[in-house]
Amino acid sequence: MRELPPNQAIVADGKWPVIGEAKPRASSAPWTLSVFGLVKNKQVLTLEDLRARPQIERTLDIHCVTRWSKLGARFRGIRLLSLLEEAVLDPSAGFVSFTARSDVGHNSSLKLSDLAALDPMIAFEYDGEALGTGHGGPMRLVVEGRYFYKSVKWLEQIELLAEDRLGTWEGGSGYHNLGDPWQEQRFMASGLSRKEMQKALSSGNLSGLEILSLLADHCEIEGLNAEGSLLRNASFRGSQLNGARFNECNLCNSHFQKAQLRGACFIDADLEGANFEEADLRGADFRGARLFGASFCSENGGRGALLDAHTKLELAHLECLSDAQRQFLKPWI
Ligand SMILES: Nc1nc2c(c(=O)[nH]1)N[C@H]1C(S)=C(S)[C@@H](COP(=O)(O)O)O[C@H]1N2
Ligand SMILES: [Mo]
């Protein structure tokens, strides 16, 4: 048995969800990869050129920050380090930033001093076939030993920098800039003080607000409205939230262990990696919610949430949950 980093669960057999952007920027230009910035030899490499280089194959484990893992993914491609050697780095380079050919120019970065240990690859194939477009084909970065958000899909630019440039997820969503799954480096610290959080909570209206890592354990919040809010990594452990409205709320990696959520609404909410162990979910509504990596019981099947015939879950929800979660939820769907 391979070891799993803390608080990760294995997705159902053969499943591999498409997370984040689903497709590259529309363009008829040929695929190229540029290496530039603090290098002696700037490069613009074509896909053919890259594919003609010595290929390596690696079987590795994917760990998404939203708590699902996929073990034994077989990738084929080239070593990033070999490209950087060719480019000859300037001694002032300290960071490498990766940008996608995507509508938002999605990007992420790594520290150069971490590269030798991480030895990232640029993958063209998965499981013996061309990498699918949704998963970053024709070429994506694959960084083993970091949460998967560091593995930029549709890689187009590699820029060497003296100072770090915070990536799209890291800067925009508070994902940790190191992202080592073994250290559980999921999120940066919240920018809000406890007092400011308390103030927002006591109004009972969080609708439309963006608060990273909200601390709301053991609170009693009557008629909470958090519709359309961004509340990644919120903590509502043991709180009274009966009838709360979380429709279209982003609650990635939120903690609802032992919370009272009778009749709460999570319609179209993003609940990737959310934890509902031992929560009271009688009459709660999960229609249209995203539940990759979410948990309703502990992975050994114990410490389960309380559901009833009025809890609204959908068959599609079972698809990308771990086996233990599926077994637990099945009777209620
Ligand atoms: N261009 C691009 N790359 C990206 C993302 C994205 O939104 N755009 N999402 C990241 C995140 S958070 C994850 S978990 C993985 C998801 O890869 P997958 O869709 O192949 O599972 O891609 C990473 N790379
Ligand atoms: Mo992710």
Side-chain angles (χ1 to χ4, degrees):
M1 263 286 275
R2 281 179 141 91
E3 229 186 306
L4 270 181
N7 295 307
Q8 294 291 118
I10 299 169
V11 276
D13 262 0
K15 296 284 179 196
W16 183 7
V18 170
I19 304 284
E21 297 176 292
K23 55 175 177 32
R25 185 177 70 235
S27 163
S28 55
W31 283 88
T32 56
L33 177 60
S34 307
V35 186
F36 61 104
L38 299 168
V39 296
K40 291 212 172 62
N41 310 323
K42 288 188 181 54
Q43 321 249 14
V44 180
L45 304 158
T46 64
L47 189 55
E48 292 68 36
D49 187 349
L50 292 163
R51 281 208 191 105
R53 284 157 193 255
Q55 306 282 303
I56 54 157
E57 193 168 285
R58 281 204 202 135
T59 300
L60 47 86
D61 301 337
I62 293 172
H63 306 296
C64 179
V65 71
T66 58
R67 304 206 297 138
W68 58 267
S69 293
K70 181 178 172 60
L71 304 188
R74 186 160 59 99
F75 289 101
R76 197 177 156 81
I78 60 174
R79 293 175 63 228
L80 170 72
L81 288 172
S82 68
L83 282 191
L84 297 187
E85 265 162 40
E86 279 178 50
V88 188
L89 305 194
D90 188 276
S92 61
F95 298 86
V96 53
S97 172
F98 305 92
T99 305
R101 185 202 271 208
S102 81
D103 284 334
V104 300
H106 190 96
N107 64 95
S108 188
S109 68
L110 293 170
K111 216 193 278 183
L112 274 189
S113 57
D114 288 341
L115 285 194
L118 295 171
D119 197 6
M121 66 189 291
I122 298 165
F124 311 106
E125 282 181 30
Y126 167 73
D127 211 12
E129 284 173 32
L131 185 62
T133 307
H135 289 305
M139 57 178 145
R140 82 175 295 163
L141 189 67
V142 174
V143 189
E144 190 178 8
R146 290 289 180 261
Y147 285 121
F148 210 32
Y149 57 85
K150 290 284 176 184
S151 295
V152 171
K153 305 194 271 192
W154 317 295
L155 185 61
E156 185 177 49
Q157 293 176 11
I158 298 176
E159 186 175 358
L160 279 300
L161 303 166
E163 302 291 335
D164 201 4
R165 174 189 296 145
L166 218 46
T168 309
W169 286 111
E170 295 89 332
S173 308
Y175 286 0
H176 201 290
N177 197 29
L178 287 177
D180 181 346
W182 300 97
Q183 309 289 328
E184 238 194 319
Q185 293 165 329
R186 296 180 199 269
F187 292 94
M188 322 246 194
S190 175
L192 275 196
S193 70
R194 220 173 229 278
K195 214 169 170 184
E196 290 168 303
M197 288 187 195
Q198 231 38 61
K199 201 172 153 204
L201 275 172
S202 59
S203 75
N205 187 3
L206 301 178
S207 130
L209 293 184
E210 176 169 0
I211 304 175
L212 179 68
S213 306
L214 174 71
L215 278 171
D217 292 341
H218 309 290
C219 292
E220 217 169 296
I221 314 170
E222 194 77 39
L224 173 67
N225 176 3
E227 296 199 17
S229 319
L230 292 166
L231 300 177
R232 285 188 177 82
N233 198 37
S235 190
F236 288 105
R237 290 181 178 89
S239 287
Q240 294 272 357
L241 299 164
N242 293 328
R245 301 203 309 277
F246 289 106
N247 297 337
E248 289 176 44
C249 182
N250 187 324
L251 289 160
C252 276
N253 296 64
S254 290
H255 305 273
F256 286 103
Q257 291 95 318
K258 295 191 174 163
Q260 302 293 311
L261 288 159
R262 293 188 71 159
C265 280
F266 292 97
I267 297 171
D268 295 330
D270 192 339
L271 293 170
E272 280 184 34
N275 190 328
F276 290 100
E277 287 166 31
E278 290 181 275
D280 186 348
L281 298 175
R282 286 175 289 175
D285 192 341
F286 290 95
R287 285 173 298 169
R290 287 174 61 86
L291 289 172
F292 291 111
S295 57
F296 293 83
C297 65
S298 55
E299 275 299 294
N300 57 23
R303 297 207 312 272
L306 192 57
L307 293 95
D308 70 3
H310 303 288
T311 307
K312 291 192 182 71
L313 281 156
E314 294 164 325
L315 208 54
H317 283 145
L318 294 184
E319 286 227 324
C320 278
L321 292 173
S322 70
D323 287 337
Q325 303 304 322
R326 277 189 295 165
Q327 290 311 317
F328 179 81
L329 288 184
K330 230 181 206 153
W332 301 105
I333 293 185

